[in-house]
Amino acid sequence: QVQLVESGGGLVQAGGSLRLSCVASGSIGGLAGMGWYRQAPGNQRELVAGITYGGRTNYADFVKGRFTISRDNEKNTVSLQMNSLKPDDTAVYYCNAERDYGDYVDHNNWGQGTQVTVSS
């Protein structure tokens, strides 16, 4: 099983920046795509940004131009640089990882979450 540990959340004023990091450990064989999701109170968990093992990225429209996802395959880490933060970005942010078994991809690997709070 993959263990994912996030860090870097906190409280920031609107317009500020935060950098989230996530390190994968344990059974990381077949580690494939990684990404960040978020969940605000009363809302469903939603994709923020994803990155393939090869570095191809995708972003939710609401973060394009403000957030940047990156990864280090040697260190098994994924990061999310968040700039120009808005109060609407307030949520618990979760790291996600995929494991590719060849004929099956396990998407259900999650960190414990890190709180990001943006004050107005």
Side-chain angles (χ1 to χ4, degrees):
Q1 189 171 359
V2 178
Q3 285 82 47
L4 301 171
V5 178
E6 301 105 333
S7 61
L11 172 65
V12 65
Q13 288 189 330
S17 298
L18 283 174
R19 184 177 180 85
L20 306 183
S21 295
C22 171
V23 57
S25 62
S27 299
I28 58 174
L31 193 63
M34 301 184 76
W36 291 93
Y37 289 70
R38 71 185 188 187
Q39 187 167 19
N43 290 355
Q44 290 187 333
R45 193 172 296 187
E46 59 186 357
L47 174 69
V48 175
I51 186 167
T52 66
Y53 189 86
R56 189 171 68 248
T57 60
N58 65 287
Y59 296 93
D61 286 344
F62 52 77
V63 302
K64 283 182 179 177
R66 299 189 298 126
F67 292 8
T68 302
I69 190 170
S70 60
R71 68 187 288 171
D72 184 328
N73 292 331
E74 290 190 359
K75 297 180 179 178
N76 298 313
T77 60
V78 62
S79 298
L80 185 68
Q81 178 67 42
M82 305 186 294
N83 298 328
S84 302
L85 282 161
K86 306 175 182 179
D88 284 350
D89 294 318
T90 296
V92 178
Y93 284 69
Y94 296 90
C95 178
N96 176 266
E98 300 173 341
R99 291 189 67 198
D100 188 349
Y101 292 92
D103 58 351
Y104 167 70
V105 178
D106 177 14
H107 300 272
N108 197 29
N109 302 285
W110 297 94
Q112 80 285 357
T114 184
Q115 177 70 47
V116 171
T117 302
V118 184
S119 63
S120 57

